Amino acid sequence: MDRKAKGNVIVIKRKTVVAGGHHGGAWKVAYADFVTAMMAFFLLMWLLSVTDEETRLGLADYFSPTIPIHSTRGGGDGPFDGATMFSQDILARDETGQKGDPNRMDVPGAPDQSLYDIAEELMGGSGDAMSADPLLKHIATRVTDEGLIIEVFDISGSPLFDGNTADTNPILVRLLHMIGRVLSRTANPVAISGHLAATDVGPDAPDPWRLSGERAQISRELLVAAGVADPRLARVTGKADRNHVTDEPSDSRNRRIEITLLRRFEP
């Protein structure tokens, strides 16, 4: 047969379409959501790694508040934006606690740096905090071999007690209440001592040993009321005017209450 008589061969291809074979674009949406969630997760982990403990506790309490807080912070810079033991932030931290923190004072063998952390928290962590909160002018801290010593003392025109008595003025009640809330989050033993100035001793003055001892006992009761467990009290003593902290025995700063957060040594 002649090849030209065969003609052209036409091949027809038909595609079979299976409904829902590629599931539409739903998988793309799901994958995009997964990638977004992973990106948010790693961003959160990075933020947690670069923020300090105070900021993390504040964020945690914001999303899950433990007590109602009405903030009085003005949003300014410097001492007006810092946290002191008188600020509302400390109230939230008292309730949230710091469980699992290896630097807490109640962990046996915790580093001594914790003493400085407590002192910084009491004083607001800023040299300018004292000018922002006049109550801080009544407080001085120092770390010694014995532990963290917190001095609460008279200043001119603002006494802690009413004359030569053991009757407290409201300022001492507030000071010891705030100090007690901070110390209540530790487990170290606490020692309290009462001290007088040289001007408090004389023929017509009350017995200095009894008076300083009564003031120490009143301070103990206020700290216990603020949350410091009574079994933690290692000693409460009155030292009259025998232990001055300034060169001038009559200085009003010598009229003070000393609260010592004692070190705990491993046996």
Side-chain angles (χ1 to χ4, degrees):
M1 182 182 293
D2 190 0
R3 297 178 58 185
K4 294 183 178 180
K6 294 181 179 180
N8 296 329
V9 178
I10 300 175
V11 178
I12 300 175
K13 295 183 177 180
R14 300 181 184 277
K15 294 183 179 181
T16 302
V17 179
V18 179
H22 55 74
H23 300 289
W27 71 272
K28 297 180 181 179
V29 176
Y31 181 73
D33 291 341
F34 171 75
V35 172
T36 303
M38 292 300 296
M39 182 173 61
F41 172 75
F42 286 112
L43 180 61
L44 175 63
M45 296 299 293
W46 174 75
L47 289 174
L48 291 176
S49 67
V50 298
T51 54
D52 54 21
E53 183 68 17
E54 180 179 354
T55 303
R56 290 195 293 270
L57 287 172
L59 289 173
D61 193 71
Y62 176 82
F63 290 103
S64 180
T66 54
I67 55 175
I69 296 176
H70 302 282
S71 177
T72 58
R73 297 171 63 180
D77 296 327
F80 296 96
D81 190 50
T84 73
M85 64 177 176
F86 304 104
S87 67
Q88 297 292 338
D89 291 340
I90 297 301
L91 300 180
R93 295 181 60 184
D94 286 346
E95 301 301 327
T96 57
Q98 297 183 15
K99 296 181 179 180
D101 183 358
N103 292 324
R104 281 190 63 185
M105 293 294 297
D106 58 353
V107 178
D112 291 341
Q113 184 63 32
S114 297
L115 294 172
Y116 294 96
D117 293 339
I118 295 295
E120 184 177 6
E121 183 175 324
L122 288 169
M123 301 307 296
S126 171
D128 295 329
M130 186 177 295
S131 61
D133 195 333
L135 285 177
L136 293 180
K137 296 180 180 180
H138 286 271
I139 300 176
T141 62
R142 66 180 188 275
V143 177
T144 67
D145 292 339
E146 188 178 22
L148 171 64
I149 298 178
I150 306 167
E151 296 180 6
V152 185
F153 49 85
D154 279 7
I155 60 176
S156 180
S158 183
L160 303 177
F161 294 91
D162 185 13
N164 281 343
T165 70
D167 298 331
T168 60
N169 286 327
I171 190 170
L172 177 64
V173 176
R174 184 181 178 192
L175 283 166
L176 293 186
H177 178 73
M178 297 299 178
I179 293 174
R181 289 183 66 86
V182 174
L183 298 187
S184 66
R185 295 187 290 107
T186 70
N188 291 54
V190 177
I192 305 173
S193 58
H195 301 263
L196 302 177
T199 53
D200 300 324
V201 180
D204 299 328
D207 178 80
W209 296 101
R210 183 183 299 275
L211 178 59
S212 59
E214 290 176 350
R215 290 182 174 183
Q217 289 290 347
I218 291 294
S219 301
R220 175 191 64 81
E221 295 174 2
L222 291 173
L223 288 178
V224 171
V228 179
D230 188 72
R232 293 178 54 193
L233 276 298
R235 62 178 182 270
V236 181
T237 57
K239 297 190 176 181
D241 62 334
R242 303 301 175 87
N243 189 8
H244 301 135
V245 292
T246 65
D247 295 333
E248 177 54 51
S250 61
D251 191 338
S252 60
R253 178 167 174 173
N254 293 315
R255 190 180 301 110
R256 69 195 187 280
I257 297 294
E258 282 191 2
I259 304 166
T260 305
L261 190 63
L262 301 170
R263 296 183 188 271
R264 295 201 308 177
F265 297 98
E266 290 297 319

